[in-house]
Amino acid sequence: MSYEKSQQIFQAAQSLMPGGVNSPARAFGSVGGTPLIMQRGEGAYLYDVDGNRLIDYIQSWGPMILGHKHPAVMAAVENALANGFSFGAPTEGENELAALIIEAVASVEKVRLVNSGTEATMSAIRLARGFTGRDVIVKFAGNYHGHVDSLLVAAGSSAATLAVPNSPGVTAGTSQDTLILTYNDCQGVREAFAQHGDRIAGVIFEPVVGNMGCVIPDAEFLQTLRDCTIECGALLIFDEVMTGFRVAYGGAQSLWGITPDLTTLGKIVGGGLPIGAYGGRADIMDHVLPAGQVFQAGTLSGNPIACAAGSSTLRELRDNSPYERLEQLGDQLAAGLQQAATSANQTCCVQRVGSMMTLFFNPGPIRCWEDAAESDTEKFGKYFWGLIHQGVYMPCSQYEALFVSAAHTPEDIQTTIDAAQSVLASF
Ligand code: KE4
């Protein structure tokens, strides 16, 4: 396989965009080498500028659950394009997408459309603070919620819960109202609420983590979060930007049977076009301007083309549910990857919910960031590139989840397993 054109284009990008990319996740920072420049997608496949075909398990980091260029989504976007691109005025398509989200996610009574998952989480935590009149937000190490200043924090040196900035440009003042806890640590949650409960506006977390690799919450952890937030009058925010419509049509909350106060969404709700959303109890959402006083706005929020892509994607997921097939394909892939690692005497564990999963170079189980951080990222890099050379495109970091789409076939999965078998056997 040649990657010559990718290398030329990426080289040229270096003088145009920081690191040659518009999002660091694409820069192959943790696996090394030059990112592949993609030309087009078709179903389960991506084609790079050198004409290499790859079975795609990144799927634009989650949105492409139906696969690339799904006919129903293509038709909806083409129809919307015929009316123009953007008006800065309400359109009926926004009602349609909002109604689909409200119908699908039981806890969402009202929703606001924005342009990215980051905007959704940033707005949700502002709303939690505005609604409760409190300042403190709780998050968990290894959970990512977009590049929101107050959530770009790392565990502080003291008390393990005080957060400090983990990016230049984030001020101490911004991070001082963020508490950072350990995922799946019920005792830590109870202690933090005992100590700070009356100052906590909300807790935001990933109800299945994708951003430290796939990590699954314990039932007790979920219940502890719900109980503590109710007891202290804080809001529980499910960040379902990745899990929304991915792990189930109703999101992770429909699997876990926990009702959050607010939910953030993105990725799939836009069908691959820029959309985010936050929603929840109407009595909370009615605090958002112009219904209430919490400010949030956006020039392209509810963009007609993005809404058409999102609504057609959700309708397809609702009316021709792929979730049973995604569960079967996910199970086939997870079992095959685990078997490939075991037969190659590689110490790995696979953690999965539905069609999102991670092969960790780590004995596991992985329950929190401290566990995940023990993974062998160097081996992961070798595995990643070995698969690229065999036409399989996995997420370019140990700390991401791979995604199976409704366009993948059992044959694609078997091809992937065979490729993993030969790569791991070569270690
Ligand atoms: P965006 O602003 O990237 O649309 O969404 C931020 C976000 C919020 N919440 C969760 C749970 C997320 O996973 C994300 C974004 N996910 C990453 C990949 N894990 C996006 C990839 C990238 O940054 O390029």
Side-chain angles (χ1 to χ4, degrees), residues 12-360:
Q14 298 309 307
S15 62
L16 303 169
M17 297 162 282
V21 293
N22 286 306
S23 192
R26 310 172 192 167
F28 280 23
S30 62
V31 293
T34 301
L36 303 189
I37 308 295
M38 293 304 166
Q39 175 92 45
R40 65 188 171 90
E42 299 279 351
Y45 313 120
L46 283 177
Y47 296 82
D48 70 13
V49 290
D50 289 289
N52 299 308
R53 190 197 82 161
L54 299 119
I55 304 176
D56 177 23
Y57 289 99
I58 295 188
Q59 287 176 26
S60 179
W61 301 98
M64 309 318 292
I65 190 169
L66 295 176
H68 297 285
K69 290 175 62 181
H70 188 282
V73 182
M74 294 289 282
V77 168
E78 279 154 17
N79 286 341
L81 281 173
N83 293 326
F85 297 1
S86 180
F87 315 124
T91 59
E92 192 176 5
E94 295 160 77
N95 292 23
E96 205 180 333
L97 180 54
L100 280 163
I101 291 170
I102 290 165
E103 178 194 60
V105 186
S107 66
V108 174
E109 296 171 342
K110 274 194 177 172
V111 64
R112 169 62 63 86
L113 303 177
V114 292
N115 298 284
S116 70
T118 295
E119 262 196 86
T121 58
M122 173 179 70
S123 308
I125 61 175
R126 181 183 309 132
L127 176 55
R129 287 171 162 153
F131 179 76
T132 61
R134 298 176 178 178
D135 298 343
V136 174
I137 291 287
V138 173
K139 75 161 299 244
F140 294 89
N143 281 214
Y144 173 67
H145 305 289
H147 59 95
V148 187
D149 271 9
S150 58
L151 300 180
L152 288 179
V153 293
S157 49
S158 66
T161 57
L162 292 180
V164 292
N166 74 352
S167 162
V170 175
T171 63
T174 310
S175 54
Q176 68 180 15
D177 291 327
T178 310
L179 292 185
I180 187 164
L181 302 182
T182 299
Y183 200 82
N184 277 322
D185 175 10
C186 300
Q187 188 52 30
V189 170
R190 283 191 283 269
E191 283 165 6
F193 270 87
Q195 198 178 345
H196 305 283
D198 57 350
R199 296 194 306 128
I200 296 176
V203 175
I204 186 167
F205 79 117
E206 294 183 61
V208 177
V209 186
N211 289 291
M212 54 173 140
C214 185
V215 172
I216 303 161
D218 297 342
E220 190 201 352
F221 174 65
L222 291 163
Q223 196 57 56
T224 302
L225 289 179
R226 187 61 286 183
D227 294 346
C228 287
T229 45
I230 288 174
E231 269 159 47
C232 290
L235 299 188
L236 182 56
I237 306 168
F238 271 40
D239 178 357
E240 298 229 40
V241 167
M242 185 184 289
T243 55
F245 300 95
R246 166 58 62 178
V247 296
Y249 191 63
Q253 56 195 272
S254 69
L255 296 181
W256 304 148
I258 297 280
T259 302
D261 301 301
L262 291 175
T263 298
T264 56
L265 296 164
K267 298 181 192 279
I268 292 173
V269 293
L273 269 70
I275 280 198
Y278 64 103
R281 284 172 27 200
D283 67 308
I284 301 173
M285 290 302 293
D286 281 340
H287 280 71
V288 179
L289 209 69
Q293 298 302 310
V294 176
F295 189 82
Q296 184 265 306
T299 302
L300 297 176
S301 295
N303 172 274
I305 317 300
C307 285
S311 295
S312 54
T313 298
L314 297 196
R315 272 199 304 276
E316 186 62 28
L317 291 170
R318 181 192 64 187
D319 302 342
N320 302 304
S321 171
Y323 293 101
E324 222 170 279
R325 217 164 80 73
L326 289 171
E327 175 57 31
Q328 286 157 5
L329 293 172
D331 184 48
Q332 179 193 357
L333 181 58
L337 291 177
Q338 184 66 69
Q339 180 53 42
T342 306
S343 50
N345 296 318
Q346 293 301 318
T347 309
C348 293
C349 72
V350 178
Q351 299 191 168
R352 173 180 78 90
V353 177
S355 60
M356 71 182 269
M357 71 188 83
T358 298
L359 170 72
F360 288 96

